[in-house]
Amino acid sequence: MKKYILVLLLFSMGVLYAQTEGAGKYAINRLTVNTKNSDFGAAFFGEDKLVFASPKKGITLVNDVWEDNNQRFLELYVGNILPNGDLEKVSLVPGEVNTRYHEADVVFTRDRKTVYFTRNNFYNKKLARDEKQMANLAMFKATVNEKGEWVNIIPMPFNNVEYSVGHPALSQDEKTLYFISDMPGSYGQTDIFKVSINQSGFGNPENLGWKINSPAKEFSPFVDGEVLYFSSDKDGGMGGFDVYATRLVDYTPEPILLNEPINSTADDLTFIINSKTRKGYFSSNRSGGDGDDDIYSFIEEEAPVFRCSQLITGEVRDQNTTEIIRGAVVAIKDKDGNLIKEVVVDEEGVFELPAFCETDYKLEGSKEGYTTQRKTFTTSSEADKKVKLLILLGTGEIVEQVEPVVAVVEDKPEGMPEELPEEIVKVRPSTYVVNIEPIYFELNSSYLNKEAKRELDKVVDLMNKYPEMIIESGSHTDSRGITGYNIWLSTRRAASTVNYILERGIDPSRITGKGYGETQLINGCADGVDCTEAQHAMNRRTEFVIIKM
């Protein structure tokens, strides 16, 4: 692939960990309709037809070569699916869908009457460009008439000339549209978003979060019932882009990497599967193909198996001094003592280890000069739970069967007395805050009103009373709005409070500010939950968390 597939099609013209067990078993076959150029992005059109993207064919008088790979711009083709998965009677998609620019990556509703597709931001015979004169991707909706022609083409309301939107996928009930974008609120270079489809149109785009998205590129989502398939070039794969799968309901496990031959050391993308026949298609530029990207058919012989997962995290300290122990090794083993994973703690003495729910494990902490500590335990059935442990190592000879001192620990701020002053209150485990009236903000605002300034003056007074106190101004939003925007807004609010306190003479080394967005709601008013304005307002707050007394 003259890299990167027109995956970067099309994204501009001009970990925790990935579990590998239960990652499916497949038999694949390369289609005979592949060309020496880039053929990819298959989509089911009912049960018997397949739509895919391929460069223009024939002779043209218009300059239609894409500079990124020196191939002609992509057009959409449709073919009949044969029993062996190959295609016949391939032709251009009828109607006015194909333009002189890229078209690719589509999804149809089950009744074949509606289609969502990707093209460069070309509408009403005009190509829109951003400030850098790049033509980003946009997503469109069209109606498929009785002749199979795509008509009434309209752009999605969340398209924007400054970023890309594309690679659509539909949920099983067709009430949620998934897509790829690098819009504000993205965690990585491109992320997977979702948006609700309702009678009045579409809701607000929502990022699927860190568990699915990464700092790298996520592409080509596809939904098969409760399972989301997508591709990513994040670390931990086999090479290039790889296909991952995760569940969308009940619990969302860490994405699992599909086995060979779906994945390879090359780029593997646009995975789709028929939920009834368990046959599907994907694209790859692996060696042995016809040229650039090729489309492969496959049969799923064993489906991926998803297991409820947890995270074992904690720190290692000296039993006598309570100092952190750098360089300590923490290992997790199965019930028979077989090593699963081993890590060296970081500079803060902290470790993280993956685990499955309802499973017997042995945890071991060790460091030269200390007695090795071991503990046998069983994880609970709670998905995505973080189990926090403190491993205390004592000096002495290494004893094979030493009962470990392993306990749940609460991180209490340094210098915090057992009996709290009336100006300080514990609001959550390990969280102590300045006891003032909540500082609330108006929707989409970081402005400090008189009431807020009056409460901030109390914080200043307390910091003057305790000259070694260090605090963090943590600002929070409600769940409305795009995740990235909420992080940005809460960061502004935190900065407003910090600046006010600094203006009253507090040393900058004693206060920091952080925006948490909607990640720490104090009630159930998450996305999709019907709440009153007063309930949402409770989440628009700033807390002054004590780091050190």
Side-chain angles (χ1 to χ4, degrees):
M1 167 162 53
K2 258 217 187 94
K3 313 267 180 197
Y4 275 106
I5 196 170
L6 312 167
V7 263
L8 243 222
L9 187 82
L10 281 129
F11 267 90
S12 69
M13 201 171 85
V15 96
L16 296 174
Y17 62 102
Q19 300 176 32
T20 56
E21 73 173 57
K25 184 178 180 182
Y26 306 89
I28 70 171
N29 187 43
R30 192 171 72 254
L31 301 191
T32 60
V33 297
N34 288 312
T35 68
K36 65 178 181 179
N37 293 319
S38 186
D39 309 287
F40 72 98
F44 293 116
F45 182 35
E47 297 286 331
D48 57 350
K49 294 182 184 295
L50 196 75
V51 172
F52 64 96
S54 184
K56 297 176 186 293
K57 314 257 186 325
I59 300 174
T60 180
L61 300 177
V62 181
N63 182 13
D64 59 359
V65 173
W66 189 36
E67 294 179 357
D68 287 41
N69 68 354
N70 203 33
Q71 296 180 22
R72 299 178 70 185
F73 285 108
L74 296 166
E75 293 189 312
L76 291 169
Y77 293 82
V78 60
N80 295 336
I81 299 175
L82 296 171
N84 66 357
D86 215 334
L87 300 180
E88 67 173 1
K89 299 180 180 180
V90 174
S91 61
L92 280 171
V93 168
E96 299 180 356
V97 58
N98 287 312
T99 66
R100 60 163 296 191
Y101 299 103
H102 285 305
E103 282 82 26
D105 300 301
V106 312
V107 66
F108 295 88
T109 54
R110 285 190 299 275
D111 62 9
R112 302 191 186 197
K113 294 181 180 180
T114 301
V115 59
Y116 299 89
F117 68 98
T118 311
R119 72 156 57 133
N120 288 122
N121 203 335
F122 182 75
Y123 187 64
N124 283 340
K125 300 182 179 180
K126 294 182 179 180
L127 181 67
R129 297 181 183 273
D130 63 16
E131 291 183 351
K132 298 180 180 179
Q133 295 304 302
M134 302 293 287
N136 289 313
L137 293 186
M139 196 159 61
F140 296 83
K141 177 183 178 182
T143 300
V144 184
N145 65 21
E146 294 180 355
K147 297 180 181 179
E149 299 170 334
W150 296 13
V151 297
N152 301 326
I153 297 174
I154 59 172
M156 292 292 97
F158 39 84
N159 289 343
N160 191 296
V161 68
E162 295 300 327
Y163 53 77
S164 287
V165 175
H167 296 226
L170 282 170
S171 62
Q172 185 174 26
D173 61 8
E174 299 184 348
K175 293 181 179 180
T176 303
L177 180 67
Y178 296 85
F179 62 93
I180 298 298
S181 181
D182 57 347
M183 66 171 59
S186 299
Y187 295 120
Q189 298 177 59
T190 52
D191 284 359
I192 303 176
F193 289 78
K194 69 177 180 179
V195 64
S196 61
I197 303 173
N198 49 55
Q199 292 181 346
S200 60
F202 300 89
N204 293 320
E206 178 184 346
N207 192 298
L208 291 195
W210 272 116
K211 182 162 285 189
I212 291 173
N213 293 312
S214 73
K217 304 183 191 78
E218 274 67 50
F219 279 118
S220 56
F222 178 81
V223 179
D224 172 36
E226 299 178 349
V227 178
L228 172 70
Y229 295 91
F230 65 96
S231 289
S232 176
D233 64 349
K234 63 183 178 179
D235 293 338
M238 297 183 187
F241 283 91
D242 291 295
V243 181
Y244 292 81
T246 188
R247 287 172 55 88
L248 287 170
V249 298
D250 296 335
Y251 67 92
T252 304
E254 294 299 322
I256 59 174
L257 180 71
L258 297 194
N259 287 326
E260 295 179 305
I262 295 297
N263 283 317
S264 67
T265 57
D267 291 321
D268 308 295
L269 307 107
T270 61
F271 179 102
I272 65 172
I273 189 169
N274 184 304
S275 59
K276 298 177 183 177
T277 66
R278 309 313 293 170
K279 297 179 179 180
Y281 297 86
F282 72 101
S283 305
S284 179
N285 65 342
R286 65 189 61 188
S287 61
D290 290 311
D292 202 334
D293 304 300
D294 291 316
I295 302 173
Y296 292 77
S297 65
F298 69 83
I299 298 175
E300 181 187 75
E301 297 175 342
E302 291 181 10
V305 177
F306 301 97
R307 294 187 61 179
C308 168
S309 62
Q310 296 183 356
L311 188 68
I312 309 300
T313 182
E315 54 187 24
V316 180
R317 292 182 178 270
D318 187 294
Q319 182 178 3
N320 298 316
T321 67
T322 72
E323 295 283 336
I324 61 172
I325 301 178
R326 295 182 177 88
V329 176
V330 181
I332 189 168
K333 302 179 179 180
D334 65 19
K335 63 181 181 180
D336 297 320
N338 300 308
L339 180 65
I340 298 173
K341 189 170 184 178
E342 183 178 84
V343 297
V344 178
V345 299
D346 63 18
E347 288 298 308
E348 302 299 323
V350 174
F351 66 91
E352 287 186 348
L353 289 165
F356 291 117
C357 302
E358 299 181 288
T359 305
D360 296 329
Y361 289 106
K362 292 182 179 180
L363 191 71
E364 181 176 288
S366 61
K367 176 72 186 288
E368 185 176 356
Y370 289 87
T371 302
T372 299
Q373 302 292 307
R374 299 181 179 88
K375 181 177 179 62
T376 300
F377 66 101
T378 302
T379 52
S380 68
S381 61
E382 183 179 350
D384 300 329
K385 181 179 180 180
K386 283 190 176 182
V387 181
K388 190 172 184 180
L389 302 174
L390 173 63
I391 300 178
L392 299 174
L393 298 183
T395 57
E397 297 181 0
I398 295 179
V399 180
E400 287 300 319
Q401 299 296 330
V402 176
E403 181 65 24
V405 184
V406 181
V408 177
V409 63
E410 177 185 329
D411 294 328
K412 202 170 187 179
E414 180 183 346
M416 183 67 69
E418 289 299 325
E419 185 173 345
L420 299 179
E422 62 179 10
E423 301 98 334
I424 297 172
V425 62
K426 177 181 176 182
V427 292
R428 292 177 293 277
S430 305
T431 304
Y432 296 77
V433 303
V434 180
N435 188 14
I436 60 174
E437 293 298 319
I439 295 176
Y440 293 120
F441 292 91
E442 296 299 322
L443 182 63
N444 294 325
S445 173
S446 59
Y447 174 74
L448 293 173
N449 57 28
K450 291 182 179 179
E451 291 78 7
K453 292 178 180 179
R454 186 161 47 245
E455 296 305 315
L456 290 176
D457 288 337
K458 296 179 183 178
V459 178
V460 174
D461 292 342
L462 184 63
M463 296 187 76
N464 287 328
K465 181 178 179 180
Y466 297 96
E468 294 188 4
M469 174 185 284
I470 297 175
I471 65 173
E472 176 194 87
S473 173
S475 184
H476 308 261
T477 68
D478 60 38
S479 63
R480 294 174 292 183
I482 298 174
T483 303
Y485 170 77
N486 286 339
I487 292 291
W488 172 82
L489 177 61
S490 60
T491 301
R492 285 187 60 192
R493 290 172 173 172
S496 293
T497 60
V498 170
N499 289 337
Y500 182 88
I501 291 173
L502 293 178
E503 289 172 356
R504 270 112 191 108
I506 297 300
D507 190 313
S509 65
R510 298 179 57 202
I511 182 170
T512 59
K514 183 174 181 180
Y516 290 91
E518 59 183 271
T519 62
Q520 295 186 4
L521 303 176
I522 58 175
N523 54 28
C525 295
D527 291 321
V529 178
D530 187 18
C531 290
T532 65
E533 178 60 35
Q535 290 172 318
H536 281 300
M538 294 176 64
N539 291 312
R540 299 195 300 271
R541 70 199 190 278
T542 293
E543 296 177 332
F544 293 92
V545 179
I546 298 170
I547 308 301
K548 177 183 177 182
M549 281 292 289

